[in-house]
Amino acid sequence: MRFLKDWFNRSKHRQPRRSQCGRTKLAMETLEARDLMSASPMPVLMVIADHHDFYYKEYADTRQSLEEAGLDVVAAATTTRPSIPHPNSGQTPGTPGEVVPDLALADVNADDYSAIVFVGGWGSSMYQYAYNDPNLDGVTDNFYVNSHYNGDDDLDDGMIARTKEIVNGLINDFLADDKPVAAVCHGVTVLAWARVDGVSPLAGRQVSVPLTVGSPAQFYNGNWHPDMNLSGQYDQVVANGGLANTVSGQYGDRTTVADDVVVDGRIITPRTSTRRPTSAPSSPQRSSRTSHPRTDPPCRCPAATCS
């Protein structure tokens, strides 16, 4: 997870070149010198899921490597209450691995940071700006079975949750200031569902997304999908115009960190992973219905109360 540090210091994949036959192919290029590693670089902002279900290793390894590169790191979430990672996601065995965010997202000013990183884990779904209402018409079309992942206390009010508005604003601010915007694993879907001038910042961008990790149970695009839907993240990225990888780990040597990331403009995504998160025991609300497609209008009430 040394992807952002490597981006500052190494040669990386850049956006695709168009060959003479018209096919797109990735090219290895050396990034030009960056100002971000100046004598006094601003901190990097790392965004984790509020309260629970971020992926610990993606947070800890990335933070460690950034700090080793001389960068300060600030963690943020919706609130500053402790956040618990997915079980068995890299924390020391026998410990909860909780992280206390340094500040709430509402208090973040993009001017104070050199880059922003969205840490993966299913909880990062709560920051997906246009996921529930992709047409931005006040109608909920998609939702997660685990209400925590929706990041919205009232999906029927026709409004986008305030935290999602804040996160979307930050993505816009960082990109407008020509600062790196990075995401790890499931966190890439946060960028997919963001909107910059009405479109996803991943539209037309080459990105790396997980292909074997699986997404949480959800009603998406008119159908129910169970936990561990292996193409979940890929489908969401492609639906928003991203040029996603089609083979896990296709961008480089999995035994090295020399080519761990894909860089397209200011969008940074790491090579894919084969890890799968485990939901916190208290978080999911599952029903056998979630494993079967349904075409009738969706019901968001707990399965036990549905008739």
Side-chain angles (χ1 to χ4, degrees):
M1 284 305 168
R2 286 174 279 187
F3 65 95
L4 196 56
K5 173 184 175 183
D6 293 334
W7 180 80
F8 289 133
N9 298 317
R10 298 175 182 267
S11 299
K12 295 295 178 231
H13 286 299
R14 296 303 303 275
Q15 61 188 32
R17 284 178 174 170
R18 188 70 62 176
S19 66
Q20 291 182 347
C21 64
R23 294 180 180 176
T24 299
K25 61 180 181 179
L26 285 174
M28 291 293 291
E29 297 180 12
T30 302
L31 261 63
E32 62 272 20
R34 303 294 191 183
D35 294 331
L36 296 178
M37 294 301 288
S38 60
S40 300
M42 292 184 292
V44 172
L45 183 71
M46 294 190 70
V47 180
I48 63 174
D50 190 52
H51 192 41
H52 62 79
D53 288 2
F54 70 95
Y55 206 94
Y56 185 84
K57 186 174 179 63
E58 294 169 2
Y59 165 79
D61 287 6
T62 303
R63 178 166 190 148
Q64 178 181 345
S65 59
L66 288 169
E67 291 175 341
E68 288 175 351
L71 293 163
D72 292 328
V73 175
V74 174
T78 305
T79 69
T80 56
R81 60 183 177 175
S83 185
I84 307 299
H86 283 289
N88 304 314
S89 62
Q91 60 270 49
T92 301
T95 67
E98 70 177 25
V99 172
V100 179
D102 299 298
L103 77 170
L105 285 164
D107 297 325
V108 171
N109 185 334
D111 293 341
D112 298 331
Y113 302 93
S114 61
I116 186 171
V117 182
F118 290 94
V119 176
W122 285 354
S124 61
S125 302
M126 66 178 61
Y127 301 130
Q128 297 170 336
Y129 176 75
Y131 167 80
N132 298 120
D133 181 11
N135 297 315
L136 301 180
D137 58 3
V139 177
T140 297
D141 297 313
N142 308 315
F143 61 88
Y144 292 102
V145 173
N146 184 336
S147 60
H148 181 66
Y149 298 160
N150 290 312
D152 193 331
D153 293 332
D154 187 356
L155 290 177
D156 296 319
D157 63 2
M159 306 290 290
I160 293 177
R162 180 169 180 265
T163 297
K164 292 186 177 184
E165 294 273 11
I166 291 170
V167 168
N168 197 65
L170 288 172
I171 292 171
N172 275 260
D173 290 343
F174 275 88
L175 290 175
D177 291 341
D178 200 30
K179 296 177 180 178
V181 174
V184 188
C185 202
H186 191 78
V188 177
T189 64
V190 177
L191 302 187
W193 290 108
R195 292 295 180 263
V196 178
D197 294 328
V199 299
S200 170
L202 298 190
R205 299 286 186 181
Q206 191 78 42
V207 294
S208 181
V209 297
L211 291 170
T212 58
V213 175
S215 57
Q218 59 192 289
F219 184 86
Y220 175 67
N221 200 24
N223 290 295
W224 286 100
H225 301 274
D227 273 347
M228 300 300 181
N229 174 27
L230 296 187
S231 66
Q233 293 93 348
Y234 176 86
D235 290 344
Q236 291 186 24
V237 168
V238 171
N240 285 282
L243 306 177
N245 55 294
T246 56
V247 178
S248 183
Q250 75 182 58
Y251 293 128
D253 183 349
R254 295 174 65 88
T255 66
T256 74
V257 297
D259 50 9
D260 273 1
V261 304
V262 175
V263 178
D264 193 339
R266 288 305 199 189
I267 301 296
I268 306 174
T269 52
R271 65 189 172 121
T272 56
S273 168
T274 57
R275 296 160 301 163
R276 297 185 181 184
T278 302
S279 296
S282 61
S283 61
Q285 292 179 320
R286 294 188 179 91
S287 165
S288 59
R289 292 186 181 185
T290 60
S291 63
H292 302 286
R294 54 185 283 186
T295 56
D296 52 311
C299 171
R300 290 190 295 276
C301 59
T305 65
C306 289
S307 57

